[in-house]
Amino acid sequence: MIEAILESPYINSLPTLFEGLKMTLLITIAGLFLGFILGGLVGLGKLSKNKLIQGICTVYVEVVRGTPILAQVLFIYYGLTEDLIGLSINALTAAIIAITINAAAYIAEIVRGAVYSIEKGQREAGRSLGLTEKQTMRYIIWPQAFKRMIPPLGNQFVISLKDTSLFSVIAVHEVLYMGKQYYNVTYEIFETLVMVCILYLIITIPTSIILRRLERKLDV
């Protein structure tokens, strides 16, 4: 019986799918890391007193959030041609850029909301201690705001992870694309797609559980 299980089409598809899962995690982690940096800057830009900076950041967030990530990655991969920008963008790079740009727009709102939620008295306390506005943000506001960002940032990880499945349209070798390649050869469509879904759930369900516990622990 064990031998039958090990030779089942469900198990046979795993080596191929694991290769795709590595790519999926690479794109998600790299994209979110860069997206957090960009999103943090944009989020703080939306809080800026400079109307130009605030306007540019607002337009960026609204444009990115108002268009689907599938259209964004197609634009990056097919629209930004070598003749137009002077360099060639491969599928993996296009996928990471798409996740970065897309996630940054949502992370910007997370950052803006978290910073804005800190009581004004905290800022006044920092100024009364002789801290500049930047020092107050760095040492008082940001640490408290970051604590409140953690749960929604975790949710963004789950969303971005699932968004990578759309990148099969530009032949990125993520888990869904590798699943398609596998069942195109074996014709084991049902079994392969079941395993694709299970691999996503193996990541997303524990992540969601950890986030709920963390949210309760942080009391945010």
Side-chain angles (χ1 to χ4, degrees):
M1 182 176 178
I2 295 177
E3 185 177 346
I5 293 174
L6 293 176
E7 294 180 358
S8 71
Y10 296 96
I11 301 300
N12 288 338
S13 65
L14 285 178
T16 301
L17 296 182
F18 279 141
E19 289 301 313
L21 186 60
K22 292 177 185 177
M23 185 66 72
T24 293
L25 291 173
L26 171 63
I27 295 168
T28 305
I29 294 170
L32 282 180
F33 174 76
L34 297 173
F36 179 74
I37 296 173
L38 178 59
L41 294 173
V42 174
L44 294 175
K46 290 193 69 177
L47 295 169
S48 174
K49 295 178 181 178
N50 186 306
K51 296 297 182 181
L52 178 61
I53 294 176
Q54 187 183 100
I56 292 172
C57 292
T58 299
V59 169
Y60 168 80
V61 170
E62 294 303 320
V63 168
V64 174
R65 293 180 67 182
T67 54
I69 191 172
L70 180 58
Q72 293 164 13
V73 75
L74 289 173
F75 177 81
I76 293 167
Y77 187 62
Y78 293 113
L80 300 180
T81 61
E82 188 170 1
D83 293 336
L84 185 65
I85 63 174
L87 54 89
S88 178
I89 299 178
N90 60 38
L92 175 59
T93 302
I96 293 175
I97 293 173
I99 287 290
T100 299
I101 291 174
N102 188 269
Y106 291 91
I107 291 172
E109 285 299 288
I110 293 172
V111 170
R112 183 195 63 80
V115 171
Y116 192 75
S117 70
I118 304 301
E119 297 78 5
K120 291 183 179 179
Q122 299 286 333
R123 294 179 174 84
E124 295 170 358
R127 301 307 294 271
S128 68
L129 292 172
L131 299 177
T132 65
E133 187 172 343
K134 290 183 179 179
Q135 289 174 327
T136 300
M137 173 62 72
R138 179 179 177 182
Y139 295 112
I140 297 178
I141 305 301
W142 184 259
Q144 297 180 70
F146 184 74
K147 177 181 174 182
R148 301 183 182 185
M149 294 177 207
I150 294 175
L153 286 174
N155 290 331
Q156 185 60 47
F157 170 80
V158 173
I159 292 169
S160 295
L161 177 77
K162 293 186 291 185
D163 281 344
T164 60
S165 63
L166 299 171
F167 299 155
S168 60
V169 299
I170 59 171
V172 174
H173 292 188
E174 46 75 46
V175 65
L176 182 59
Y177 178 86
M178 295 303 288
K180 289 180 179 178
Q181 295 297 103
Y182 183 81
Y183 70 60
N184 282 339
V185 174
T186 63
Y187 300 103
E188 295 165 348
I189 300 175
F190 176 82
E191 296 88 344
T192 304
L193 291 178
V194 165
M195 296 309 296
V196 167
C197 292
I198 288 174
L199 289 179
Y200 277 116
L201 290 173
I202 286 173
I203 298 173
T204 57
I205 290 178
T207 301
S208 298
I209 292 172
I210 292 170
L211 287 173
R212 285 196 294 269
R213 291 181 177 177
L214 187 59
E215 190 170 352
R216 288 196 296 268
K217 184 177 182 179
L218 295 175
D219 191 25
V220 295

